[in-house]
Amino acid sequence: DIVMTQSPDSLAVSLGERATINCKSSQILYSSDNKSRLAWYQQKPGQPPKLLISWASTRESGVPDRFSGSGSATDFTLTISGLQPEDVAVYYCQQHYTIPLTFGGGTKVEIK
Amino acid sequence: EVQLVESGGGLVQPGGSLRLSCAASGFALSAYWMSWVRQAPGRGLEWVANTNSDGGQKYYSDSLKGRITISRDNAKNSLYLQMNSLRVDDTAVYYCATNAWEVLKVWGQGTLVTVSS
């Protein structure tokens, strides 16, 4: 199975500042079209996860552009540029390269 | 509105069975692969099972294989998860989600399964 490792486990960021979350996979996530199969989800308390980004950097429709994904192969980053109060949540990465689908352990983002 | 609604969760004793349902509205379930994902209390996300659009292909987590069956009834726009020989560590919120290229796009609100004596 592909192991997904997120860091940090939690971070506190001031409003308007940048939050950076890292995700590392135990295997390369390139598909045959040279796209990386890595997704990011946001989960607020008491709610289901919400898809933010797939294919490492493709933002889902309606997701604010302060959320961006980058990286390739085995190392990926989710950046929130200008943290807003509504961004307080746990963020998960997930490889969508192969079954079994696997998730990172999550990163809790709070306001400093 | 595109929506998934899970039901069928509840309290069950160890060794018992439950059948979870996931009803789709606002779209045709038949167009999508579907997945079940679970989340134990205070824990992260764990993939459980996938099925293709006509239900002919099914894939399971190794940790649950042999105890669960994913199925679907496209005429009823519904997805199911039959869970047998339940254990205390199966306690979790179970979510259904649409699956496109293994990306989980639309999620239901989840149904809580509690396994306890």
Side-chain angles (χ1 to χ4, degrees):
Chain A
D1 299 0
I2 297 177
V3 177
M4 307 300 294
T5 303
Q6 279 184 243
S7 62
D9 292 336
S10 64
L11 74 161
V13 176
S14 300
L15 288 173
E17 295 301 305
R18 176 176 297 183
T20 301
I21 301 168
N22 300 302
C23 177
K24 188 173 184 67
S25 60
S26 62
Q27 296 180 34
I28 292 173
L29 301 182
Y30 276 136
S31 58
S32 58
D33 51 6
N34 273 344
K35 291 182 176 180
S36 289
R37 295 197 175 200
L38 188 283
W40 290 98
Y41 301 85
Q42 174 194 64
Q43 187 177 32
K44 297 181 180 180
Q47 295 186 20
K50 173 188 175 184
L51 176 65
L52 297 176
I53 288 167
S54 59
W55 303 97
S57 60
T58 301
R59 197 180 306 115
E60 194 69 3
S61 175
V63 173
D65 60 7
R66 64 180 179 274
F67 291 92
S68 63
S70 62
S72 62
T74 62
D75 292 278
F76 303 91
T77 300
L78 174 70
T79 301
I80 310 172
S81 303
L83 191 75
Q84 299 299 305
E86 61 267 32
D87 300 336
V88 169
V90 178
Y91 294 84
Y92 295 94
C93 62
Q94 176 231 329
Q95 60 82 12
H96 57 98
Y97 182 78
T98 190
I99 289 172
L101 306 182
T102 47
F103 296 85
T107 296
K108 186 174 185 179
V109 174
E110 299 173 306
I111 305 294
K112 184 187 292 183
Chain B
E1 180 191 4
V2 172
Q3 195 172 10
L4 294 169
V5 178
E6 301 92 337
S7 61
L11 176 63
V12 61
Q13 291 189 334
S17 297
L18 276 179
R19 188 194 195 207
L20 308 183
S21 298
C22 169
S25 59
F27 70 103
L29 199 72
S30 59
Y32 293 90
W33 281 61
M34 295 295 295
S35 296
W36 286 99
V37 174
R38 71 180 181 178
Q39 186 171 36
R43 306 293 296 272
L45 301 168
E46 179 186 13
W47 171 76
V48 170
N50 277 4
T51 184
N52 72 332
S53 55
D54 68 8
Q57 297 177 48
K58 302 176 184 184
Y59 304 89
Y60 299 107
S61 163
D62 282 347
S63 65
L64 289 153
K65 195 177 293 183
R67 298 193 295 122
I68 61 170
T69 302
I70 188 172
S71 63
R72 62 194 300 159
D73 185 338
N74 287 338
K76 294 184 178 179
N77 231 26
S78 293
L79 175 75
Y80 306 101
L81 185 68
Q82 176 69 41
M83 306 173 65
N84 301 323
S85 303
L86 282 161
R87 307 193 291 229
V88 171
D89 62 0
D90 292 321
T91 294
V93 174
Y94 286 74
Y95 297 101
C96 62
T98 62
N99 179 324
W101 295 98
E102 307 298 2
V103 177
L104 306 174
K105 285 182 172 283
V106 178
W107 295 65
Q109 287 296 314
T111 187
L112 176 62
V113 172
T114 303
V115 185
S116 175
S117 54

